[in-house]
Amino acid sequence: MFSILWRFFPGPAWFRVIVLLAAVVALVWALITYVYPWVAIQLPSPEVTVGS
């Protein structure tokens, strides 16, 4: 998979590394911003009671 991404982006190696790092950062941001809140809503919340 990494070799497909490596061949997909044009330019020298240092530019490819920067573009791949930016793509990873964008993917993580999208997952945290959109996917995780949606999944958290879908999961049932545990009912925790604290008593004596």
Side-chain angles (χ1 to χ4, degrees), residues 31-46:
L31 287 173
I32 290 172
T33 303
Y34 298 108
V35 176
Y36 178 71
W38 179 79
V39 170
I41 292 171
Q42 303 302 322
L43 294 174
S45 61

Side-chain angles (χ1 to χ4, degrees), residues 2 13 15 24 26 29 37 49:
F2 182 74
F15 183 72
V24 167
W29 175 80
T49 57

Side-chain angles (χ1 to χ4, degrees), residues 3-47:
S3 63
I4 293 171
L5 290 174
W6 189 255
R7 283 184 263 138
F8 179 74
F9 293 112
W14 62 268
F15 183 72
R16 290 179 187 181
V17 169
I18 292 172
V19 170
L20 285 173
L21 287 175
V24 167
V25 168
L27 177 65
V28 169
W29 175 80
L31 287 173
I32 290 172
T33 303
Y34 298 108
V35 176
Y36 178 71
W38 179 79
V39 170
I41 292 171
Q42 303 302 322
L43 294 174
S45 61
E47 295 188 23

